[in-house]
Amino acid sequence: MSHYDAIRLEKGMYASGKPLTQTLEALDPSEAYRGTPLEGMDAFQRQLKRFDIHVSGPGSDVVEKFFQTTDSAALFPEYVSRAVRQGLESADILPHIVAATTKIDGMDYRTITSVPEEDARSLKRVAEGAFIPQTEVKTQENLVRLHKRGRMLTASYEALRFQRLDLFTVTLRQIGRYIARAQLKDAVDVLLHGDGNENPAPVVSAATPGTLAYGDLIGLWNSFDPYSLSTIIASSGVMERLLALEELRDAAAGLNFHATGKMVTPLGAQLFKAAAVEEGSLIALDRSCALERVQAQDVMTDYDKLIDRQLERAAITTVTGFAKIFPGASKVLEIGEAE
């Protein structure tokens, strides 16, 4: 096993398509540092310590610190990817609506589905020697659509060399937030219209077009059997109408919202606001079985340009798609525009 300060770093470590941290962990496992002052650091953080590079806090170093040696320069693309990933995760509501994440090697993926009839959903008593009811699981007819999302990082080394890494990280995190919003839009589109396998979300209409009443939420909740309504994603206009409902404006709920900014949860469901949802509608789902995220590529950074040409233009991308699992586990409440 190589000690962390004896590892030779080079840009070829990125060629496998794996994150640099994963490659470094294979060479320098974190388990070997239990009970030492370096416990709690991953392999990439130990490399930052090796070259005395501080990427956060008031004492953060300047961008130039990464390029003092060819070894430390090889760490820069991973720093960029990690900062973007932090921003993506901080603005990402996908963990609250995705039931499973599948990582694949390639661009072709066909998910599975099971749509049992009402009779097949009940577990009947089986007599001795009798036929046991079956539930069919099959692959979908069409492939999952994968979308490449990303941003182009454009800057010169001269413009950034004396900038503090703490400030530069803020910019990179914002790129991650842009990617998160684009991925959420893809997920919402699949929830609404399906994944190309004739499985759009069933639509429930409000009793009075243009008006959201508490009874509409009750009807939506009641229609989810045998699933559970656990998550609601609403447009900004519908969110205002939701929070204005008299049933959701009791003193305790209002106090919590004013004190913490945490919104009341209608019927026990988590509530999220998203511009990706069309005005006049909300999406309700059972997060445990509605949506699958398919990841062909995690956050990747164009390492050649960042190392050899010291920034200039570098693409930060991710390849992700979404698929329905159980079509009935998500529904749309159409309210319409307020008159």
PDB file of all heavy atoms in Angstrom, residues 2 43 46 73 104 134 156 191 236 258 268 279 281:
ATOM      1  N   SER A   2       0.532   2.203  -0.872  1.00  0.00           N
ATOM      2  CA  SER A   2       1.293   3.451  -0.948  1.00  0.00           C
ATOM      3  C   SER A   2       0.830   4.411   0.132  1.00  0.00           C
ATOM      4  O   SER A   2      -0.365   4.528   0.409  1.00  0.00           O
ATOM      5  CB  SER A   2       1.093   4.104  -2.320  1.00  0.00           C
ATOM      6  OG  SER A   2       1.558   3.260  -3.334  1.00  0.00           O
ATOM      7  N   ALA A  43      -9.332  10.051   0.601  1.00  0.00           N
ATOM      8  CA  ALA A  43      -8.035  10.037  -0.083  1.00  0.00           C
ATOM      9  C   ALA A  43      -7.738  11.373  -0.756  1.00  0.00           C
ATOM     10  O   ALA A  43      -6.577  11.812  -0.793  1.00  0.00           O
ATOM     11  CB  ALA A  43      -7.993   8.904  -1.105  1.00  0.00           C
ATOM     12  N   ARG A  46      -6.650  13.946   1.826  1.00  0.00           N
ATOM     13  CA  ARG A  46      -5.261  13.710   2.257  1.00  0.00           C
ATOM     14  C   ARG A  46      -4.267  14.262   1.247  1.00  0.00           C
ATOM     15  O   ARG A  46      -3.184  14.730   1.624  1.00  0.00           O
ATOM     16  CB  ARG A  46      -5.026  12.209   2.489  1.00  0.00           C
ATOM     17  CG  ARG A  46      -5.710  11.670   3.728  1.00  0.00           C
ATOM     18  CD  ARG A  46      -5.223  10.264   4.065  1.00  0.00           C
ATOM     19  NE  ARG A  46      -5.661   9.273   3.095  1.00  0.00           N
ATOM     20  CZ  ARG A  46      -6.839   8.660   3.131  1.00  0.00           C
ATOM     21  NH1 ARG A  46      -7.704   8.927   4.093  1.00  0.00           N
ATOM     22  NH2 ARG A  46      -7.161   7.750   2.229  1.00  0.00           N
ATOM     23  N   ALA A  73      -1.342  19.873  -9.658  1.00  0.00           N
ATOM     24  CA  ALA A  73      -2.233  20.326 -10.736  1.00  0.00           C
ATOM     25  C   ALA A  73      -3.241  19.250 -11.102  1.00  0.00           C
ATOM     26  O   ALA A  73      -4.368  19.552 -11.508  1.00  0.00           O
ATOM     27  CB  ALA A  73      -1.413  20.731 -11.962  1.00  0.00           C
ATOM     28  N   ILE A 104     -25.100   3.158 -14.478  1.00  0.00           N
ATOM     29  CA  ILE A 104     -24.827   2.250 -15.598  1.00  0.00           C
ATOM     30  C   ILE A 104     -23.537   2.655 -16.307  1.00  0.00           C
ATOM     31  O   ILE A 104     -23.097   3.804 -16.219  1.00  0.00           O
ATOM     32  CB  ILE A 104     -25.995   2.237 -16.603  1.00  0.00           C
ATOM     33  CG1 ILE A 104     -26.204   3.632 -17.210  1.00  0.00           C
ATOM     34  CG2 ILE A 104     -27.268   1.745 -15.943  1.00  0.00           C
ATOM     35  CD1 ILE A 104     -27.223   3.662 -18.338  1.00  0.00           C
ATOM     36  N   GLN A 134     -49.576 -14.900  -9.511  1.00  0.00           N
ATOM     37  CA  GLN A 134     -48.300 -14.388  -9.998  1.00  0.00           C
ATOM     38  C   GLN A 134     -48.339 -12.871 -10.188  1.00  0.00           C
ATOM     39  O   GLN A 134     -49.388 -12.301 -10.486  1.00  0.00           O
ATOM     40  CB  GLN A 134     -47.949 -15.030 -11.353  1.00  0.00           C
ATOM     41  CG  GLN A 134     -47.850 -16.538 -11.318  1.00  0.00           C
ATOM     42  CD  GLN A 134     -47.487 -17.103 -12.667  1.00  0.00           C
ATOM     43  OE1 GLN A 134     -46.525 -16.674 -13.297  1.00  0.00           O
ATOM     44  NE2 GLN A 134     -48.252 -18.062 -13.138  1.00  0.00           N
ATOM     45  N   SER A 156      -9.570  32.476 -17.711  1.00  0.00           N
ATOM     46  CA  SER A 156      -8.139  32.303 -17.946  1.00  0.00           C
ATOM     47  C   SER A 156      -7.431  32.120 -16.611  1.00  0.00           C
ATOM     48  O   SER A 156      -7.903  32.584 -15.565  1.00  0.00           O
ATOM     49  CB  SER A 156      -7.553  33.533 -18.653  1.00  0.00           C
ATOM     50  OG  SER A 156      -7.588  34.660 -17.795  1.00  0.00           O
ATOM     51  N   LEU A 191     -42.407  12.423 -14.787  1.00  0.00           N
ATOM     52  CA  LEU A 191     -43.549  12.200 -13.901  1.00  0.00           C
ATOM     53  C   LEU A 191     -44.852  12.604 -14.580  1.00  0.00           C
ATOM     54  O   LEU A 191     -45.874  11.928 -14.455  1.00  0.00           O
ATOM     55  CB  LEU A 191     -43.372  13.002 -12.603  1.00  0.00           C
ATOM     56  CG  LEU A 191     -42.332  12.468 -11.601  1.00  0.00           C
ATOM     57  CD1 LEU A 191     -42.114  13.470 -10.481  1.00  0.00           C
ATOM     58  CD2 LEU A 191     -42.778  11.126 -11.028  1.00  0.00           C
ATOM     59  N   SER A 236     -45.004  27.795  -8.113  1.00  0.00           N
ATOM     60  CA  SER A 236     -45.002  28.880  -7.125  1.00  0.00           C
ATOM     61  C   SER A 236     -46.406  29.414  -6.866  1.00  0.00           C
ATOM     62  O   SER A 236     -46.784  29.694  -5.717  1.00  0.00           O
ATOM     63  CB  SER A 236     -44.078  30.009  -7.587  1.00  0.00           C
ATOM     64  OG  SER A 236     -44.474  30.493  -8.860  1.00  0.00           O
ATOM     65  N   HIS A 258     -42.922  30.700  10.199  1.00  0.00           N
ATOM     66  CA  HIS A 258     -42.273  32.000  10.413  1.00  0.00           C
ATOM     67  C   HIS A 258     -40.926  31.845  11.116  1.00  0.00           C
ATOM     68  O   HIS A 258     -39.995  32.617  10.874  1.00  0.00           O
ATOM     69  CB  HIS A 258     -43.182  32.908  11.238  1.00  0.00           C
ATOM     70  CG  HIS A 258     -44.413  33.356  10.501  1.00  0.00           C
ATOM     71  ND1 HIS A 258     -44.368  33.949   9.263  1.00  0.00           N
ATOM     72  CD2 HIS A 258     -45.729  33.266  10.834  1.00  0.00           C
ATOM     73  CE1 HIS A 258     -45.596  34.226   8.859  1.00  0.00           C
ATOM     74  NE2 HIS A 258     -46.444  33.819   9.783  1.00  0.00           N
ATOM     75  N   GLY A 268     -49.534  15.181   5.719  1.00  0.00           N
ATOM     76  CA  GLY A 268     -48.314  14.455   6.045  1.00  0.00           C
ATOM     77  C   GLY A 268     -47.312  14.349   4.916  1.00  0.00           C
ATOM     78  O   GLY A 268     -46.265  13.724   5.076  1.00  0.00           O
ATOM     79  N   GLU A 279     -47.573  26.146 -14.052  1.00  0.00           N
ATOM     80  CA  GLU A 279     -48.487  26.888 -13.193  1.00  0.00           C
ATOM     81  C   GLU A 279     -49.891  26.299 -13.286  1.00  0.00           C
ATOM     82  O   GLU A 279     -50.334  25.871 -14.350  1.00  0.00           O
ATOM     83  CB  GLU A 279     -48.513  28.363 -13.584  1.00  0.00           C
ATOM     84  CG  GLU A 279     -47.362  29.183 -13.037  1.00  0.00           C
ATOM     85  CD  GLU A 279     -47.330  29.221 -11.509  1.00  0.00           C
ATOM     86  OE1 GLU A 279     -48.365  28.917 -10.874  1.00  0.00           O
ATOM     87  OE2 GLU A 279     -46.260  29.523 -10.959  1.00  0.00           O
ATOM     88  N   SER A 281     -50.885  23.666 -11.503  1.00  0.00           N
ATOM     89  CA  SER A 281     -50.924  22.228 -11.239  1.00  0.00           C
ATOM     90  C   SER A 281     -49.910  21.863 -10.166  1.00  0.00           C
ATOM     91  O   SER A 281     -48.994  22.623  -9.866  1.00  0.00           O
ATOM     92  CB  SER A 281     -50.634  21.435 -12.515  1.00  0.00           C
ATOM     93  OG  SER A 281     -49.316  21.696 -12.980  1.00  0.00           O
TER      94      SER A 281
END
